[in-house]
Amino acid sequence: INFEEIQRIKNLKDLPEELETTRKWMLIGFYSGQRVSDLLELTSDNVRPANSGVYIDITQQKTKKYVTVGVNDSTTVELIQNAFPRPMSAIYFNRNIKEICRRAGMNQTVRGFKNNPLTRRKEHGDFPKYDVMCAHDLRRSFATNYFGKVETPILMSITGHSKESTFLAYIGANPNKDAMADAFMIRTSSL
């Protein structure tokens, strides 16, 4: 999910209450980069003010790592401070994400996996984008959208990845093998 699609989700109006709750959780997910198990456990008690937004303090369930995430997207900060979403199960959240994405016009054909209700198995194929979206796409979008714009160690500390190779594989990026060599040459050129 790219920033333009995120903006379309932000712009959705007059949603039924359950979809509005989902939209709020999606925005927090986009800007916090957390797993759904951590995301949907957040409460306003996890939030504290920051100079240009809010901090979200989380102990990640999977890794047991304590992380603080800074959120400065004005729309998301506003809802965190003034309209924190009510609790929601991951099952309903994943179901509703598809509807939010459909309403946001994310209907281009993409290759992906979709659960077949008859066989109860995932099937690979070409589907409308909204139909293959799930909560984990929020986390992956956070990492992918900020990769190259924010230093990798900062992103890794937020997502909880310990190894850069794992993080790069997660977002489907190839390491820039020349970057370190270039940095070395720049720093040593005046010696």
Side-chain angles (χ1 to χ4, degrees), residues 141-182:
S141 295
F142 168 86
T144 304
N145 288 337
Y146 287 111
F147 180 70
K149 298 175 182 80
V150 175
E151 292 85 352
T152 302
I154 294 171
L155 294 175
M156 288 172 55
S157 73
I158 292 170
T159 61
H161 287 93
S162 298
K163 295 167 67 178
E164 185 175 11
S165 59
T166 305
F167 176 79
L168 294 174
Y170 177 71
I171 63 169
N174 294 319
N176 181 351
K177 295 178 182 176
D178 295 343
M180 291 300 177
D182 289 342

